[in-house]
Amino acid sequence: MSSTKPSERLDFLLANICHLHHARARQQLEALKLYRGQPPVLHALWQKEGRTQTELADKLEIAPATLTKMLQRMERAGFIYRQVDKEDQRVSRVFLTEAGRAIQSQVEQIWDTMENESFANFTLEEQIVLRRFLLQIRDNLLQAAGEKPWE
């Protein structure tokens, strides 16, 4: 049995860091009237507008029902709109509004700020080593879950 205090265990520290990062991201994004899960949707649409809801759910690896709730909230906030596909009435495509396009630089600035805050006082070499460690942790967890490492 380990003599390390529970609050000093690596897995606890990692979970605590994730919690703090999420809380800080939420704080930053709320100023833009965004919720933490919405920037990935915006990012996917900044890359390519007019994706179907199914394409978005697959790309973001989330349940379609979760995406539908997110899109409803983003639509009410004025960031996106949905339009029925002209060729297939069963399909709904998602587009950005002007507000959804205009917020891109602000969201990217938040992620830059988050990275700068998180890795302040790290040398470039330390950041490179940390990245390698984090990638290994991610791959270990994917393997334990029976999934393939990301490319």
Side-chain angles (χ1 to χ4, degrees):
M1 184 173 237
S2 173
S3 63
T4 306
K5 289 191 259 182
S7 62
E8 293 176 357
R9 289 177 49 112
L10 291 175
D11 59 341
F12 179 88
L13 264 166
L14 184 60
N16 187 241
I17 289 166
C18 289
H19 173 77
L20 291 168
H21 189 274
H22 288 165
R24 181 68 175 132
R26 184 179 59 248
Q27 181 184 46
Q28 296 281 309
L29 292 167
E30 279 178 354
L32 301 179
K33 306 288 190 245
L34 285 174
Y35 291 87
R36 197 175 50 81
Q38 294 173 343
V41 175
L42 290 170
H43 185 73
L45 293 171
W46 292 329
Q47 289 177 328
K48 180 183 173 189
E49 279 193 68
R51 294 178 191 260
T52 67
Q53 288 187 213
T54 302
E55 290 169 342
L56 277 173
D58 289 346
K59 179 166 181 56
L60 300 174
E61 297 182 355
I62 59 175
T66 301
L67 178 68
T68 298
K69 283 286 216 193
M70 226 185 284
L71 294 177
Q72 288 169 346
R73 183 176 256 176
M74 293 175 76
E75 205 166 24
R76 283 192 305 270
F79 294 119
I80 59 112
Y81 66 94
R82 291 179 282 180
Q83 187 173 341
V84 175
D85 187 277
K86 294 174 183 160
E87 296 175 17
D88 187 347
Q89 302 292 307
R90 299 169 296 171
V91 174
S92 180
R93 296 197 173 272
V94 184
F95 297 90
L96 293 163
T97 62
E98 273 308 309
R101 285 187 204 92
I103 204 168
Q104 182 175 2
S105 64
Q106 293 168 288
V107 171
E108 289 171 353
Q109 181 59 51
I110 286 173
W111 296 136
D112 288 344
T113 298
M114 292 290 300
E115 185 156 326
N116 290 334
E117 290 174 355
S118 297
F119 303 107
N121 304 313
F122 279 79
T123 66
L124 177 59
E125 292 79 16
E126 289 169 334
Q127 290 181 45
I128 290 168
V129 171
L130 179 58
R131 178 175 280 110
R132 185 174 64 78
F133 290 160
L134 292 172
L135 289 169
Q136 185 63 56
I137 292 168
R138 183 193 64 198
D139 289 349
N140 290 347
L141 291 172
L142 286 169
Q143 183 179 1
E147 298 180 31
K148 292 181 183 178
W150 295 350
E151 295 181 10

